[in-house]
Amino acid sequence: MNTDIKKSSKTDNYVYHDYYCIDELLNEDHILARESVREWVKQEVSPIIEDYANRAACPTHLFKGLAEIGAFGPSIPAEYGGGGMDEIAYGIIMQELERGDSGIRSMASVQGSLVMYPIYKYGSEDQRRKYLPKLGSGEFIGCFGLTEPDHGSNPSGMVTNIKDDGDSYILNGSKMWITNSPVADIAVVWAKDEDGKIRGIIVEKGMKGFSAPEIHGKWSLRASVTGELVFEDVRVPKANLLPNVSGLKGPLGCLSKARYGIAWGAIGAALDCYDSALRYSQEREQFGKKLGQFQLTQKKLAEMITEITKAQLLAWRLGTLANKGQATPAQISMAKRNNVNMAIEIAREARQIHGGMGITGEYPIMRHMMNLESVITYEGTHDIHLLITGMDVTGFNAFG
Ligand code: TGC
Ligand code: FAD
C-alpha cells in the first residue's frame, strides 16, 4: 500500500459537543478511552485523511496504531486480544474514530466485530489462541465475507459452498464488497454446507485458488479498501471451520455487534460536520453580519444539535442495555438506521452552511457525506432496518 504520506498543515480544531451533559452518565474509563482516541485521531488521522481519500488509498499503516489504542474488539476480553472494556467504551471509541473518517472506523469495526468477535464467540479454543492475539495486535488483518454479487440484503440466498473432502472442505463461490479483503491475512467466510446450513470458515491468504481483487472507482469510503473474495476449489482444513454456530444467526450475531458500533460511530461524523459548520458560521460574514446571526443559519444549527443530542441519548441507552446483554437486534437496527440517517442529513445541512467552501477538501464535510452513503447501505440498508423494526412491532415479516 501507499506509504508516501502527505501531511496537511491544517490544525484539527474539533471541539466535542455535549448539549445534554451526557458525560455525567459516563465513567472514568469511558472518558479516558475517548480522550486518548480523540488525541490519536487528531495526531494520526486528521493530518493525512484528506490526502488518502483524494488518492483512494487506504492508510494501512494505521492498523498498528488502531491496535495500540485498543480499537480492535474493545469489549472482547483482554486475554483474547480485545480491550476488556464495556459496550459503552466500545461505542465511544467508534464515535471518535468516525469523527475522523468512517473508513477508519470501518477498519476497526471489521477487525474487531466481524473477525475477532466470530472467532471469539463461535471458534474453538485452538482457533482463538491461534488468531485472536495476532488480530488484536494488528499483526494480522482480517475481513468478513457475507455479501455475494447476487445476495446482499438477502444473505440467506448465498451460493458460496463447502463440500466435505476428508480432512478438508473444498470451498467455491465468491463474495462482493468486502472491506479490507485485498489487504487481509485471513477472511471469515460464510458458506453453505452440503445440508444447506450456513457455516463460518477461516480462509487464509495464500491458500490455493483464493484471491481478493480490489474494487476500484468508489466515490465513498475512499480511504478504506474494498474488494471481492473469489474461491475456486480452495482446500480449507476442517480445523478452520467455526464449530460453535450454524445458520444465519452466526453472521447476523456479528452484525448486531458491528451495527451497534455504527450507531455510535455515525454520531462522530455528525459531530464533526456540526462543529465545522458552527465555527464557520461564527467566522464567515455576508451582508455585514456573521452567518450565525441569520435566523436561517440558526435554524439549521439548532436542528443539528437537537438531532445529535437525540442520537447520543439513543446510543447511550442502547449501550446500557448492551452492557446488561439486553439490547435486541431490532433495537440495534433502530439506532443504526436513525443515527446514520441523522448524520447524512447533518452533513448535507453543514455543506450548505459552508457555501462553496463546503465542497472542497478544506473542510471534512463532503468526505463525511460521501462516506455516509456507504454507511447507510452496509451492515443492512436503511430500508432493511426499517423492515426489521416493522416486523418487530407488528409481528409480520415483510421480507421476500
Ligand atoms: P431470519 O429468519 O430473520 O433470521 C435467521 C436467524 O438469525 C436470527 N437473527 C439474528 N441473530 C442475531 N443477531 C441478529 N441481528 C439477528 N437477526 C436475526 C434469527 O433469530 C434466526 O435465528 P434461528 O435460530 O431462528 O435460525 O433471516 P432472514 O433470512 O429472514 O433475513 C433477515 C434479514 C433480512 C433482516 C437479514 O438477512 C439482514 O439483516 N439482511 C441485511 C444483510 C446485511 O446486513 N449484510 C451486511 C453484510 S456485512 C457488512 O456490510 C460489513 S460492512 C463493514 C464495515 O466496513 O464497517
Ligand atoms: P441490494 O440488497 O441489492 O439492495 C438494493 C436496494 O433494494 C436497497 O435500497 C435495499 O434497501 C432494497 N431492498 C432489498 N430488499 C428489499 C426488500 N425486501 N424490501 C424493500 N427494499 C429492499 N458486505 C460484507 O459481507 N462484508 C463487508 O466487509 C462489506 N463491506 C462493505 C463495504 C462497502 C463500502 C459497501 C458499499 C458494502 C459493503 N458490504 C459488505 C456489503 C453491504 O452489506 C451490502 O451492500 C448491503 O447489505 C446491501 O446489499 P446490496 O448492495 O446487494 O443491495
Side-chain angles (χ1 to χ4, degrees):
M1 276 288 141
N2 204 324
T3 50
D4 176 21
I5 304 169
K6 200 165 127 202
K7 289 201 170 186
S8 159
S9 54
K10 273 182 295 172
T11 315
D12 178 351
N13 292 317
Y14 173 72
V15 178
Y16 181 57
H17 300 273
D18 179 18
Y19 200 73
Y20 256 47
C21 311
I22 296 168
D23 269 9
E24 288 176 16
L25 302 171
L26 305 180
N27 66 30
E28 207 176 310
D29 290 346
H30 301 147
I31 306 277
L32 273 175
R34 188 179 69 204
E35 298 312 311
S36 68
V37 177
R38 183 172 303 158
E39 201 44 43
W40 182 83
V41 167
K42 283 198 173 196
Q43 297 296 325
E44 305 295 332
V45 178
S46 302
I48 63 161
I49 194 66
E50 213 61 54
D51 177 49
Y52 274 84
N54 263 328
R55 290 186 287 118
C58 177
T60 46
H61 66 280
L62 294 182
F63 271 103
K64 287 274 185 209
L66 282 165
E68 279 159 20
I69 58 168
F72 296 154
S75 56
I76 290 174
E79 62 168 315
Y80 291 110
M85 290 185 278
D86 71 1
E87 299 296 340
I88 292 184
Y90 161 42
I92 284 172
I93 290 172
M94 296 302 120
Q95 181 177 298
E96 290 304 318
L97 292 178
E98 195 145 1
R99 203 282 297 173
D101 190 81
S102 301
I104 305 298
R105 196 266 308 132
S106 253
M107 286 161 82
S109 293
V110 170
Q111 184 89 346
S113 299
L114 297 181
V115 181
M116 291 173 68
Y117 179 75
I119 295 174
Y120 164 67
K121 188 81 179 166
Y122 313 132
S124 66
E125 197 52 31
D126 281 352
Q127 290 167 344
R128 290 166 149 195
R129 301 276 168 210
K130 179 173 176 188
Y131 296 109
L132 293 180
K134 287 185 172 156
L135 289 161
S137 67
E139 184 183 339
F140 269 14
I141 298 173
C143 68
F144 175 89
L146 179 65
T147 305
E148 297 188 353
D150 294 329
H151 301 95
S153 297
N154 179 25
S156 71
M158 70 173 66
V159 293
T160 297
N161 62 84
I162 47 171
K163 290 202 166 48
D164 197 315
D165 189 42
D167 55 6
S168 309
Y169 291 105
I170 304 297
L171 172 65
N172 276 292
S174 65
K175 300 286 175 180
M176 180 82 176
W177 294 118
I178 308 303
T179 300
N180 293 342
S181 78
V183 297
D185 299 284
I186 65 165
V188 170
V189 176
W190 301 93
K192 281 185 180 161
D193 67 14
E194 285 156 283
D195 297 325
K197 290 208 180 89
I198 293 173
R199 303 300 305 260
I201 193 159
I202 303 166
V203 181
E204 298 182 13
K205 187 177 178 171
M207 284 180 169
K208 196 160 170 267
F210 171 36
S211 57
E214 185 169 347
I215 295 173
H216 295 283
K218 288 184 300 162
W219 284 103
S220 173
L221 282 190
R222 286 171 63 81
S224 164
V225 60
T226 314
E228 299 172 49
L229 296 171
V230 182
F231 313 108
E232 290 169 333
D233 287 329
V234 183
R235 182 173 288 280
V236 187
K238 279 192 172 163
N240 286 27
L241 189 81
L242 298 176
N244 299 324
V245 78
S246 91
L248 194 59
K249 67 175 179 292
L252 289 179
C254 309
L255 290 179
S256 277
K257 195 90 179 153
R259 291 167 176 172
Y260 167 83
I262 292 175
W264 282 87
I267 300 170
L271 278 166
D272 204 35
C273 293
Y274 168 75
D275 180 62
S276 183
L278 179 62
R279 194 168 309 109
Y280 195 80
S281 78
Q282 291 163 336
E283 289 165 1
R284 169 86 174 161
E285 286 188 11
Q286 285 295 291
F287 300 98
K289 280 177 160 182
K290 305 281 186 203
L291 295 181
Q293 291 179 282
F294 296 115
Q295 287 184 354
L296 286 176
T297 312
Q298 290 189 8
K299 176 176 186 291
K300 286 187 171 68
L301 291 165
E303 285 179 350
M304 283 185 202
I305 193 64
T306 305
E307 291 308 314
I308 287 172
T309 302
K310 283 154 67 179
Q312 286 170 322
L313 288 166
L314 195 60
W316 178 81
R317 176 62 187 149
L318 189 67
T320 60
L321 290 171
N323 275 345
K324 291 188 279 184
Q326 291 172 0
T328 67
Q331 287 170 332
I332 293 169
S333 281
M334 181 186 280
K336 190 268 183 184
R337 178 177 185 274
N338 181 79
N339 290 8
V340 176
N341 194 56
M342 171 280 300
I344 285 200
E345 295 293 336
I346 284 179
R348 288 179 184 146
E349 288 292 80
R351 222 287 304 145
Q352 297 268 8
I353 290 178
H354 287 78
M357 288 309 291
I359 69 157
T360 72
E362 271 299 296
Y363 296 90
I365 317 295
M366 277 300 274
R367 182 168 45 77
H368 282 307
M369 197 195 298
M370 293 194 299
N371 284 344
L372 289 163
E373 291 293 343
S374 286
V375 182
I376 203 165
T377 289
Y378 67 32
E379 305 265 9
T381 69
H382 189 64
D383 285 343
I384 290 295
H385 289 297
L386 177 89
L387 294 175
I388 291 172
T389 306
M391 179 162 65
D392 198 47
V393 297
T394 65
F396 299 124
N397 184 340
F399 294 109

CSV table of all heavy atoms in Angstrom, one decimal, residues 110 114 144-149 151-154 176-179 218 221 226 374 377-384 387 398-400, ligand 2:
chain,number,residue,atom,x,y,z
A,110,VAL,N,-14.6,-3.9,11.3
A,110,VAL,CA,-14.4,-5.2,10.7
A,110,VAL,C,-13.5,-6.1,11.5
A,110,VAL,O,-13.8,-7.2,11.8
A,110,VAL,CB,-13.9,-5.0,9.2
A,110,VAL,CG1,-13.6,-6.3,8.6
A,110,VAL,CG2,-15.0,-4.3,8.4
A,114,LEU,N,-16.3,-8.1,13.3
A,114,LEU,CA,-16.7,-9.0,12.3
A,114,LEU,C,-15.6,-10.1,12.1
A,114,LEU,O,-15.9,-11.1,11.4
A,114,LEU,CB,-17.0,-8.3,11.0
A,114,LEU,CG,-18.1,-7.3,11.0
A,114,LEU,CD1,-18.3,-6.7,9.7
A,114,LEU,CD2,-19.4,-8.0,11.5
A,144,PHE,N,-14.4,-9.9,6.5
A,144,PHE,CA,-15.7,-10.7,6.8
A,144,PHE,C,-16.5,-10.9,5.5
A,144,PHE,O,-16.9,-9.8,4.9
A,144,PHE,CB,-16.5,-9.9,7.8
A,144,PHE,CG,-17.8,-10.4,8.2
A,144,PHE,CD1,-18.0,-11.3,9.2
A,144,PHE,CD2,-19.0,-9.9,7.5
A,144,PHE,CE1,-19.3,-11.7,9.6
A,144,PHE,CE2,-20.3,-10.3,7.9
A,144,PHE,CZ,-20.4,-11.2,8.9
A,145,GLY,N,-16.6,-12.1,5.0
A,145,GLY,CA,-17.3,-12.3,3.7
A,145,GLY,C,-18.7,-12.9,3.9
A,145,GLY,O,-18.8,-14.1,4.1
A,146,LEU,N,-19.7,-12.0,3.8
A,146,LEU,CA,-21.1,-12.5,3.8
A,146,LEU,C,-21.8,-12.1,2.4
A,146,LEU,O,-22.3,-13.0,1.8
A,146,LEU,CB,-21.8,-11.8,4.9
A,146,LEU,CG,-23.3,-12.2,5.1
A,146,LEU,CD1,-23.5,-13.7,5.4
A,146,LEU,CD2,-24.0,-11.3,6.1
A,147,THR,N,-21.7,-10.9,2.0
A,147,THR,CA,-22.4,-10.4,0.8
A,147,THR,C,-21.8,-11.1,-0.4
A,147,THR,O,-20.6,-11.2,-0.6
A,147,THR,CB,-22.2,-8.9,0.7
A,147,THR,OG1,-22.6,-8.3,1.9
A,147,THR,CG2,-23.0,-8.3,-0.5
A,148,GLU,N,-22.7,-11.4,-1.3
A,148,GLU,CA,-22.3,-12.0,-2.6
A,148,GLU,C,-22.9,-11.1,-3.7
A,148,GLU,O,-23.8,-10.3,-3.5
A,148,GLU,CB,-22.9,-13.4,-2.8
A,148,GLU,CG,-22.4,-14.3,-1.7
A,148,GLU,CD,-22.8,-15.8,-1.9
A,148,GLU,OE1,-23.6,-16.1,-2.8
A,148,GLU,OE2,-22.2,-16.6,-1.2
A,149,PRO,N,-22.4,-11.3,-5.0
A,149,PRO,CA,-22.8,-10.4,-6.1
A,149,PRO,C,-24.4,-10.4,-6.2
A,149,PRO,O,-25.0,-9.4,-6.4
A,149,PRO,CB,-22.2,-11.0,-7.3
A,149,PRO,CG,-20.9,-11.7,-6.8
A,149,PRO,CD,-21.3,-12.2,-5.4
A,151,HIS,N,-26.5,-11.6,-3.7
A,151,HIS,CA,-27.2,-11.8,-2.4
A,151,HIS,C,-26.6,-10.8,-1.4
A,151,HIS,O,-25.6,-11.1,-0.8
A,151,HIS,CB,-27.1,-13.2,-1.9
A,151,HIS,CG,-27.7,-14.2,-2.8
A,151,HIS,ND1,-26.9,-14.9,-3.8
A,151,HIS,CD2,-28.9,-14.6,-3.0
A,151,HIS,CE1,-27.7,-15.7,-4.5
A,151,HIS,NE2,-28.9,-15.5,-4.1
A,152,GLY,N,-27.2,-9.6,-1.4
A,152,GLY,CA,-26.8,-8.5,-0.5
A,152,GLY,C,-27.7,-8.5,0.7
A,152,GLY,O,-27.4,-9.0,1.8
A,153,SER,N,-28.9,-7.9,0.5
A,153,SER,CA,-29.8,-7.8,1.6
A,153,SER,C,-30.3,-9.1,2.1
A,153,SER,O,-30.8,-9.3,3.2
A,153,SER,CB,-31.0,-6.9,1.2
A,153,SER,OG,-30.6,-5.6,1.0
A,154,ASN,N,-30.3,-10.1,1.2
A,154,ASN,CA,-30.8,-11.4,1.5
A,154,ASN,C,-29.7,-12.4,1.5
A,154,ASN,O,-29.6,-13.3,0.7
A,154,ASN,CB,-31.8,-11.8,0.4
A,154,ASN,CG,-32.4,-13.2,0.6
A,154,ASN,OD1,-32.5,-13.6,1.7
A,154,ASN,ND2,-32.9,-13.8,-0.5
A,176,MET,N,-18.6,-10.2,-2.4
A,176,MET,CA,-18.5,-8.9,-3.1
A,176,MET,C,-18.6,-7.8,-2.0
A,176,MET,O,-19.2,-8.0,-1.0
A,176,MET,CB,-19.7,-8.8,-4.0
A,176,MET,CG,-19.9,-7.6,-4.8
A,176,MET,SD,-18.8,-7.7,-6.2
A,176,MET,CE,-19.2,-6.2,-7.0
A,177,TRP,N,-17.9,-6.7,-2.3
A,177,TRP,CA,-18.0,-5.6,-1.4
A,177,TRP,C,-17.3,-5.9,0.0
A,177,TRP,O,-18.0,-5.5,1.0
A,177,TRP,CB,-19.4,-5.1,-1.1
A,177,TRP,CG,-20.1,-4.6,-2.3
A,177,TRP,CD1,-21.2,-5.1,-2.9
A,177,TRP,CD2,-19.8,-3.4,-3.1
A,177,TRP,NE1,-21.6,-4.3,-4.0
A,177,TRP,CE2,-20.7,-3.3,-4.1
A,177,TRP,CE3,-18.7,-2.5,-3.0
A,177,TRP,CZ2,-20.7,-2.3,-5.0
A,177,TRP,CZ3,-18.7,-1.4,-3.9
A,177,TRP,CH2,-19.7,-1.3,-4.9
A,178,ILE,N,-16.2,-6.4,0.0
A,178,ILE,CA,-15.6,-6.9,1.3
A,178,ILE,C,-14.6,-5.9,1.8
A,178,ILE,O,-13.5,-5.8,1.2
A,178,ILE,CB,-15.1,-8.3,1.2
A,178,ILE,CG1,-16.1,-9.3,0.6
A,178,ILE,CG2,-14.6,-8.8,2.5
A,178,ILE,CD1,-17.5,-9.3,1.3
A,179,THR,N,-14.9,-5.2,2.8
A,179,THR,CA,-13.9,-4.2,3.4
A,179,THR,C,-12.6,-5.0,3.8
A,179,THR,O,-12.7,-6.0,4.5
A,179,THR,CB,-14.6,-3.6,4.7
A,179,THR,OG1,-15.8,-2.9,4.3
A,179,THR,CG2,-13.6,-2.6,5.3
A,218,LYS,N,-14.7,3.8,-6.3
A,218,LYS,CA,-15.7,4.2,-5.3
A,218,LYS,C,-15.6,5.7,-5.1
A,218,LYS,O,-14.5,6.2,-4.9
A,218,LYS,CB,-15.3,3.5,-3.9
A,218,LYS,CG,-15.6,2.0,-3.8
A,218,LYS,CD,-15.3,1.5,-2.4
A,218,LYS,CE,-13.9,1.8,-2.0
A,218,LYS,NZ,-13.5,1.8,-0.7
A,221,LEU,N,-16.1,6.2,1.0
A,221,LEU,CA,-15.1,5.4,1.8
A,221,LEU,C,-13.9,5.2,1.0
A,221,LEU,O,-13.3,4.1,0.9
A,221,LEU,CB,-15.7,4.0,2.2
A,221,LEU,CG,-16.7,4.0,3.3
A,221,LEU,CD1,-17.0,2.5,3.7
A,221,LEU,CD2,-16.2,4.7,4.6
A,226,THR,N,-11.7,-1.9,-0.4
A,226,THR,CA,-12.8,-2.8,-0.5
A,226,THR,C,-12.5,-3.8,-1.7
A,226,THR,O,-12.0,-3.3,-2.7
A,226,THR,CB,-14.1,-2.0,-0.9
A,226,THR,OG1,-14.2,-0.9,0.0
A,226,THR,CG2,-15.4,-2.9,-0.7
A,374,SER,N,-22.1,5.1,2.0
A,374,SER,CA,-21.8,3.6,2.2
A,374,SER,C,-22.4,3.1,3.6
A,374,SER,O,-22.9,2.0,3.7
A,374,SER,CB,-20.3,3.3,2.2
A,374,SER,OG,-19.8,3.4,0.9
A,377,THR,N,-25.8,2.1,3.7
A,377,THR,CA,-26.1,0.8,2.9
A,377,THR,C,-25.5,-0.4,3.5
A,377,THR,O,-26.1,-1.5,3.6
A,377,THR,CB,-25.5,1.0,1.5
A,377,THR,OG1,-26.4,2.0,0.8
A,377,THR,CG2,-25.5,-0.2,0.7
A,378,TYR,N,-24.2,-0.3,4.0
A,378,TYR,CA,-23.6,-1.6,4.5
A,378,TYR,C,-24.2,-1.9,5.9
A,378,TYR,O,-24.8,-1.1,6.6
A,378,TYR,CB,-22.1,-1.6,4.4
A,378,TYR,CG,-21.2,-0.7,5.2
A,378,TYR,CD1,-21.6,-0.2,6.5
A,378,TYR,CD2,-20.0,-0.3,4.7
A,378,TYR,CE1,-20.7,0.6,7.2
A,378,TYR,CE2,-19.1,0.5,5.4
A,378,TYR,CZ,-19.5,0.9,6.7
A,378,TYR,OH,-18.6,1.7,7.4
A,379,GLU,N,-23.9,-3.1,6.3
A,379,GLU,CA,-24.5,-3.6,7.6
A,379,GLU,C,-26.0,-3.6,7.7
A,379,GLU,O,-26.6,-3.3,8.7
A,379,GLU,CB,-23.9,-2.8,8.8
A,379,GLU,CG,-22.4,-2.7,8.8
A,379,GLU,CD,-21.8,-3.8,9.7
A,379,GLU,OE1,-22.5,-4.6,10.2
A,379,GLU,OE2,-20.6,-3.7,10.0
A,380,GLY,N,-26.6,-3.7,6.5
A,380,GLY,CA,-28.1,-3.6,6.4
A,380,GLY,C,-28.5,-2.2,6.0
A,380,GLY,O,-28.1,-1.2,6.6
A,381,THR,N,-29.2,-2.2,4.9
A,381,THR,CA,-29.6,-0.8,4.3
A,381,THR,C,-30.6,-0.1,5.2
A,381,THR,O,-31.3,-0.8,6.1
A,381,THR,CB,-30.2,-0.9,2.9
A,381,THR,OG1,-31.5,-1.6,3.0
A,381,THR,CG2,-29.3,-1.7,2.0
A,382,HIS,N,-30.8,1.2,5.0
A,382,HIS,CA,-31.8,2.0,5.7
A,382,HIS,C,-33.1,1.3,5.7
A,382,HIS,O,-33.8,1.2,6.7
A,382,HIS,CB,-31.8,3.3,4.9
A,382,HIS,CG,-32.6,4.4,5.6
A,382,HIS,ND1,-32.2,4.9,6.9
A,382,HIS,CD2,-33.7,5.0,5.2
A,382,HIS,CE1,-33.1,5.9,7.2
A,382,HIS,NE2,-34.0,5.9,6.2
A,383,ASP,N,-33.6,0.8,4.5
A,383,ASP,CA,-34.9,0.2,4.4
A,383,ASP,C,-35.0,-1.1,5.1
A,383,ASP,O,-36.0,-1.5,5.6
A,383,ASP,CB,-35.3,0.1,2.9
A,383,ASP,CG,-35.7,1.5,2.4
A,383,ASP,OD1,-36.0,2.4,3.2
A,383,ASP,OD2,-35.8,1.7,1.1
A,384,ILE,N,-33.9,-1.9,5.0
A,384,ILE,CA,-33.9,-3.2,5.7
A,384,ILE,C,-34.1,-3.0,7.2
A,384,ILE,O,-34.8,-3.7,7.8
A,384,ILE,CB,-32.6,-4.0,5.3
A,384,ILE,CG1,-32.6,-4.5,3.9
A,384,ILE,CG2,-32.4,-5.2,6.3
A,384,ILE,CD1,-33.7,-5.5,3.5
A,387,LEU,N,-37.6,-2.3,7.9
A,387,LEU,CA,-38.4,-3.5,7.9
A,387,LEU,C,-38.2,-4.4,9.1
A,387,LEU,O,-39.1,-5.1,9.6
A,387,LEU,CB,-38.2,-4.3,6.6
A,387,LEU,CG,-38.6,-3.6,5.3
A,387,LEU,CD1,-38.2,-4.4,4.1
A,387,LEU,CD2,-40.1,-3.3,5.3
A,398,ALA,N,-42.2,-8.7,6.5
A,398,ALA,CA,-42.4,-8.1,5.1
A,398,ALA,C,-41.3,-8.3,4.2
A,398,ALA,O,-41.3,-7.8,3.1
A,398,ALA,CB,-42.6,-6.6,5.3
A,399,PHE,N,-40.3,-9.2,4.6
A,399,PHE,CA,-39.2,-9.5,3.6
A,399,PHE,C,-39.7,-10.5,2.6
A,399,PHE,O,-40.6,-11.3,2.8
A,399,PHE,CB,-38.0,-10.1,4.3
A,399,PHE,CG,-37.4,-9.1,5.3
A,399,PHE,CD1,-37.5,-9.2,6.6
A,399,PHE,CD2,-36.6,-8.0,4.7
A,399,PHE,CE1,-36.9,-8.3,7.5
A,399,PHE,CE2,-36.0,-7.1,5.6
A,399,PHE,CZ,-36.2,-7.3,7.0
A,400,GLY,N,-39.1,-10.5,1.5
A,400,GLY,CA,-39.4,-11.6,0.5
A,400,GLY,C,-40.5,-11.2,-0.4
A,400,GLY,O,-41.1,-10.2,-0.3
B,2,FAD,P1,-29.4,-4.9,-2.5
B,2,FAD,O1,-29.7,-6.0,-1.5
B,2,FAD,O2,-29.5,-5.3,-3.9
B,2,FAD,O3,-30.5,-3.7,-2.3
B,2,FAD,C1,-30.7,-2.7,-3.2
B,2,FAD,C2,-31.9,-1.8,-2.7
B,2,FAD,O4,-33.0,-2.6,-2.6
B,2,FAD,C3,-31.6,-1.2,-1.4
B,2,FAD,O5,-32.1,0.1,-1.3
B,2,FAD,C4,-32.4,-2.2,-0.4
B,2,FAD,O6,-32.8,-1.5,0.8
B,2,FAD,C5,-33.6,-2.5,-1.3
B,2,FAD,N1,-34.2,-3.8,-0.9
B,2,FAD,C6,-33.6,-5.0,-0.9
B,2,FAD,N2,-34.5,-5.9,-0.4
B,2,FAD,C7,-35.6,-5.2,-0.1
B,2,FAD,C8,-36.9,-5.6,0.5
B,2,FAD,N3,-37.2,-6.9,0.9
B,2,FAD,N4,-37.8,-4.6,0.6
B,2,FAD,C9,-37.6,-3.3,0.3
B,2,FAD,N5,-36.4,-2.9,-0.2
B,2,FAD,C10,-35.4,-3.9,-0.4
B,2,FAD,N6,-20.5,-7.0,3.0
B,2,FAD,C11,-19.8,-7.9,3.6
B,2,FAD,O7,-20.2,-9.1,3.7
B,2,FAD,N7,-18.6,-7.6,4.2
B,2,FAD,C12,-18.1,-6.4,4.2
B,2,FAD,O8,-17.0,-6.1,4.7
B,2,FAD,C13,-18.8,-5.4,3.4
B,2,FAD,N8,-18.2,-4.1,3.3
B,2,FAD,C14,-18.9,-3.2,2.5
B,2,FAD,C15,-18.2,-2.0,2.2
B,2,FAD,C16,-18.8,-1.1,1.3
B,2,FAD,C17,-18.1,0.2,1.0
B,2,FAD,C18,-20.1,-1.4,0.8
B,2,FAD,C19,-20.8,-0.4,-0.1
B,2,FAD,C20,-20.7,-2.5,1.1
B,2,FAD,C21,-20.1,-3.5,1.9
B,2,FAD,N9,-20.7,-4.7,2.2
B,2,FAD,C22,-20.0,-5.7,2.9
B,2,FAD,C23,-22.0,-5.1,1.5
B,2,FAD,C24,-23.2,-4.5,2.1
B,2,FAD,O9,-23.5,-5.1,3.3
B,2,FAD,C25,-24.3,-4.6,1.1
B,2,FAD,O10,-24.0,-3.6,0.1
B,2,FAD,C26,-25.7,-4.3,1.7
B,2,FAD,O11,-26.0,-5.3,2.6
B,2,FAD,C27,-26.8,-4.2,0.6
B,2,FAD,O12,-26.7,-5.2,-0.4
B,2,FAD,P2,-26.7,-4.9,-1.9
B,2,FAD,O13,-25.6,-3.8,-2.2
B,2,FAD,O14,-26.5,-6.1,-2.7
B,2,FAD,O15,-28.1,-4.2,-2.2
